[in-house]
Amino acid sequence: MNTRQLVFFAGLILLLSSFSPPTYKIAKLKYSGGGDWYGNRTALPNLVKFCNQNIFTNFSTDEATVEVGSAEIFDYPFVYLTGHGNVVFSEAESANLRKYLVGGGFLHIDDNYGLDKFIRKEMKKVFPELAFVELPVNHPLYQQHFKFPNGLPKIHEHDGKRAQGFALVWKGRVVCFYTYECDLGNGWEDYGTYPGDTQEKRTEALKMGANLIQYALTQ
């Protein structure tokens, strides 16, 4: 074997030894009621890529979809719910989602405008004893790898309201984070999806998303 071949095989061995297969996925939550659960089509793959590059997660880049009542929900440490319209959880789905969340899972609800009046009612089925509380700007979620001293950023304008980050807290652990008047997931989508968006605003959204992922996996 000549020197060139030795160098080639040494490089190949180094490349293979440095590769580690993805250890987990994040999933989009599919719900009933007619709302567009499938919205923000490019958001999660872009967020996964950003997290893998910047906070060294090892997510699969393949986006998964999981139904609220499915046993497969327990395969995902982080589940994302978005949409504009109606959301309906059955009694069995509510019980399954509660079991997932109290057992260590995490749900991010991202109001894509118009979700609020539906999702608050449905989450009451899941946690009738809890209420959404707004997290203060000094909460650890905003102080992860990227710093947000003013709290949740405003990505898209809707009704002139400020962006708010609400949480459901179960025995001291945030099990659900709800981004309202923010449109965080829209900021994760491919650049140019929404006219008028800037790269700066998109980067801000991705950084906040990375903080959320990091917090959810380490709290």
Side-chain angles (χ1 to χ4, degrees):
M1 186 178 291
N2 60 38
T3 301
R4 180 175 295 179
Q5 289 173 317
L6 284 171
V7 170
F8 171 77
F9 283 111
L12 182 61
I13 291 170
L14 180 63
L15 177 63
L16 291 175
S17 65
S18 64
F19 174 77
S20 58
T23 51
Y24 37 71
K25 291 182 179 182
I26 59 180
K28 183 175 288 181
L29 197 64
K30 181 180 180 180
Y31 52 83
S32 301
D36 53 337
W37 62 266
Y38 46 82
N40 292 353
R41 295 179 186 275
T42 62
L44 290 188
N46 287 334
L47 178 62
V48 163
K49 181 179 179 181
F50 184 87
C51 288
N52 286 349
Q53 292 175 344
N54 289 274
I55 61 171
F56 311 111
T57 50
N58 192 25
F59 288 120
S60 169
T61 54
D62 296 328
E63 180 184 320
T65 298
V66 66
E67 296 187 6
V68 184
S70 171
E72 294 177 359
I73 196 172
F74 296 92
D75 294 336
Y76 306 102
F78 185 102
V79 175
Y80 174 73
L81 184 157
T82 192
H84 297 82
N86 195 24
V87 181
V88 174
F89 297 157
S90 69
E91 184 177 336
E93 288 173 334
S94 299
N96 193 59
L97 183 56
R98 181 187 179 96
K99 184 177 179 181
Y100 164 74
L101 294 173
V102 301
F106 190 94
L107 173 65
H108 173 209
I109 300 170
D110 187 33
D111 180 21
N112 211 353
Y113 194 53
L115 192 70
D116 187 71
K117 65 181 180 179
F118 304 108
I119 197 61
R120 286 182 179 272
K121 177 171 61 72
E122 297 310 297
M123 289 307 295
K124 266 295 181 183
K125 295 179 182 178
V126 182
F127 287 103
E129 74 275 37
L130 299 182
F132 279 109
V133 294
E134 185 173 3
L135 297 183
V137 296
N138 63 348
H139 190 274
L141 192 151
Y142 300 122
Q143 312 299 325
Q144 297 293 306
H145 185 75
F146 301 103
K147 308 304 177 187
F148 287 84
N150 298 317
L152 191 67
K154 182 84 169 178
I155 304 303
H156 277 180
E157 189 60 64
H158 287 143
D159 293 329
K161 300 176 182 177
R162 65 184 179 89
Q164 292 178 275
F166 297 101
L168 291 177
V169 183
W170 169 260
K171 296 185 177 180
R173 185 174 70 89
V174 174
V175 294
C176 174
F177 185 62
Y178 173 34
T179 45
Y180 174 67
E181 283 290 327
C182 169
D183 248 351
L184 196 61
N186 278 15
W188 301 340
E189 292 210 73
D190 290 346
Y191 180 65
T193 299
Y194 303 98
D197 281 0
T198 65
Q199 281 286 18
E200 290 76 14
K201 188 60 70 174
R202 181 171 183 266
T203 299
E204 187 178 28
L206 287 166
K207 286 180 176 180
M208 185 65 243
N211 271 18
L212 179 54
I213 293 284
Q214 187 175 52
Y215 177 78
L217 296 181
T218 61
Q219 66 171 319

